[in-house]
């Protein structure tokens, strides 16, 4: 197969669960050798899409192919062509790293000498050579994830799928994980398809598809997407937020969104806008900041919501708990 052909092709993919449409007509292509990211909030349809691509779930409509093989008609071919790492740890923790890899090599019918050579190289790559004879039970979360990467690559897949691979890992381990993923791509010439709801992680991807309510709302490199937002992003704090938002919108003809950190809107040049704003709204605003657009701004612009809404929700739940215990009523 030629390098120019996309290694993942998805066209009009739909998946319903009863009344619910989890994946709603998704189309995209992944180029060979790139890191492609699916970015979206919880419930957007990321895992459902990955499961369909990995032949674990049938689509309701549309088609998908991996390395030229249709996921519905040639599932075995597809399985040979992919490695997959789910959010939940799927290692046998009563076994050692070596034993986990060996079982995987049996599943894929790898000759013993091939298995040995690859296991050595992969364990080296993920920095687990010294601990290879230790029980997985004794591993940290980051070590387990690295072992899963090694295992996912043992049969030399063309595409490695990672579903939220860094959820639950501390920031340092997350960043180490990324070094490994980048290495997998560069050294193994593997295409990486991953999902995440961390905006900062999506920055590592060559291209990302932003997915919301089962639909791709934007697709491109992180830079391209941020350029779509254009200009600078202003974040303004105000106690009478509603009134100030309306007045800013009317005065400067901008769309003002209320976000966690304040009122947000875009202007062409933030630096010259600040003095004008502070003069016009003297006494009505408490803070002003300006930044270059982030992927969060892209998401906000496209959907009117922040991607971290579920985190806001959990904050609200905490507040409710606090209230139930008689605290948090101060205002
Ligand atoms: P994400 O991975 O982006 O968080 P999912 O693909 O897991 O989202 O889920 C998309 C939507 O489909 C959610 O509303 C979820 O509750 C629903 N869903 C996922 N799997 C099932 C299932 N097996 N049965 C019913 N609903 C499901
Ligand atoms: Mg998911």
């Amino acid at each position: 197969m030629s390098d120019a052909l996309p290694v993942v092709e998805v066209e009009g993919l739909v998946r319903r669960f009863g009344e619910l449409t989890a994946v709603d007509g998704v189309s995209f292509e992944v180029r060979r050798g790139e890191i492609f990211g699916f970015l979206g909030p919880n419930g957007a349809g990321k895992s459902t899409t990955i499961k369909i691509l990995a032949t674990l779930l049938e689509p309701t409509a549309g088609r998908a192919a991996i390395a030229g093989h249709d996921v519905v008609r040639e599932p075995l071919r597809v399985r040979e062509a992919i490695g997959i790492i789910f959010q939940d740890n799927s290692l046998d923790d009563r076994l050692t790293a070596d034993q986990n890899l060996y079982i995987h090599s049996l599943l894929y019918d790898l000759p013993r000498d091939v298995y040995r050579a690859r296991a050595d190289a992969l364990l080296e790559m993920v920095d687990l050579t010294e601990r290879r004879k230790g029980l997985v039970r004794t591993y940290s979360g980051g070590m387990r994830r690295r072992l899963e990467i090694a295992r996912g690559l043992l049969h030399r897949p063309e595409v490695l799928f990672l579903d939220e691979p860094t959820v639950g890992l501390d920031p340092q381990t997350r960043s180490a994980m990324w070094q490994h993923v980048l290495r997998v791509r560069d050294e193994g010439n593997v295409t990486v398809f991953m999902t995440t709801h961390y905006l900062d992680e999506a920055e590592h991807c060559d291209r990302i598809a932003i997915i919301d309510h089962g639909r791709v709302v934007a697709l491109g490199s992180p830079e391209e997407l941020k350029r779509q937002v254009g200009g600078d992003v202003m974040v303004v704090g105000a106690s009478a937020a509603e009134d100030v938002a309306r007045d800013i919108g009317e005065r400067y003809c901008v769309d003002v969104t209320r976000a966690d950190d304040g009122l947000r809107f875009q202007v062409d040049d933030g630096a010259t806008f600040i003095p004008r704003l502070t003069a016009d709204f003297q006494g009505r605003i408490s803070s002003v900041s300006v930044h270059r657009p982030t992927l969060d701004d892209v998401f906000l612009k496209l959907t009117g919501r922040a991607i971290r809404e579920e985190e806001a929700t959990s904050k609200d739940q905490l507040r409710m708990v606090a209230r139930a215990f008689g605290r948090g009523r101060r205002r």
Side-chain angles (χ1 to χ4, degrees), residues 40-42 197 306-315:
N42 266 335
H197 66 273
I307 202 164
R308 307 251 160 145
E309 217 139 75
E310 79 265 26
E311 283 171 25
T313 314
S314 64
K315 250 187 255 159

Side-chain angles (χ1 to χ4, degrees), residues 48-240:
T48 304
T49 306
I50 267 203
K51 283 179 193 156
I52 294 171
L53 297 181
T55 75
L56 302 173
L57 199 64
E58 292 225 335
T60 309
R63 65 173 281 276
I66 311 282
H69 305 295
D70 188 275
V71 295
V72 177
R73 283 183 282 113
E74 303 173 273
L76 290 178
R77 285 295 186 83
V78 170
R79 281 175 214 164
E80 278 167 16
I82 65 170
I84 179 148
I85 298 163
F86 283 113
Q87 186 177 330
D88 300 322
N89 169 28
S90 61
L91 299 163
D92 192 328
D93 68 359
R94 297 160 305 175
L95 303 178
T96 65
D98 271 338
Q99 288 164 337
N100 270 283
L101 293 183
Y102 182 59
I103 289 174
H104 190 80
S105 80
L106 296 179
L107 290 176
Y108 282 87
D109 246 349
L110 294 186
R112 208 175 167 114
D113 53 333
V114 172
Y115 148 71
R116 282 222 181 93
R118 287 193 197 164
D120 287 352
L122 286 167
L123 287 169
E124 194 63 36
M125 183 181 87
V126 298
D127 292 330
L128 285 174
T129 303
E130 278 167 31
R131 293 294 301 276
R132 64 190 293 174
K133 303 219 178 303
L135 291 181
V136 170
R137 199 193 300 147
T138 65
Y139 282 21
S140 68
M143 289 166 72
R144 285 170 192 239
R145 231 353 97 79
R146 270 144 51 200
L147 179 55
E148 286 183 305
I149 294 183
R151 187 182 60 174
L153 292 172
L154 196 62
H155 57 286
R156 294 258 163 98
E158 295 184 57
V159 186
L160 183 66
F161 288 100
L162 301 138
D163 194 10
E164 307 255 7
T166 61
V167 160
L169 301 178
D170 60 81
Q172 205 178 340
T173 314
R174 269 170 64 187
S175 113
M177 254 290 299
W178 267 101
Q179 299 314 311
H180 290 297
V181 170
L182 294 170
R183 239 164 112 176
V184 162
R185 193 262 317 260
D186 296 341
E187 291 177 14
N189 196 26
V190 178
T191 306
V192 178
F193 183 118
M194 64 171 306
T195 71
T196 183
H197 66 273
Y198 293 122
L199 294 147
D200 53 332
E201 291 197 347
E203 300 272 354
H204 293 285
C205 298
D206 297 309
R207 289 191 310 143
I208 53 178
I210 298 184
I211 178 167
D212 187 39
H213 296 309
R215 297 202 171 149
V216 172
V217 294
L219 198 152
S221 71
E223 278 315 312
E224 280 164 2
L225 295 177
K226 284 185 269 186
R227 236 176 284 136
Q228 285 180 9
V229 175
D232 292 327
V233 177
M234 307 293 308
V235 183
V236 173
S239 50

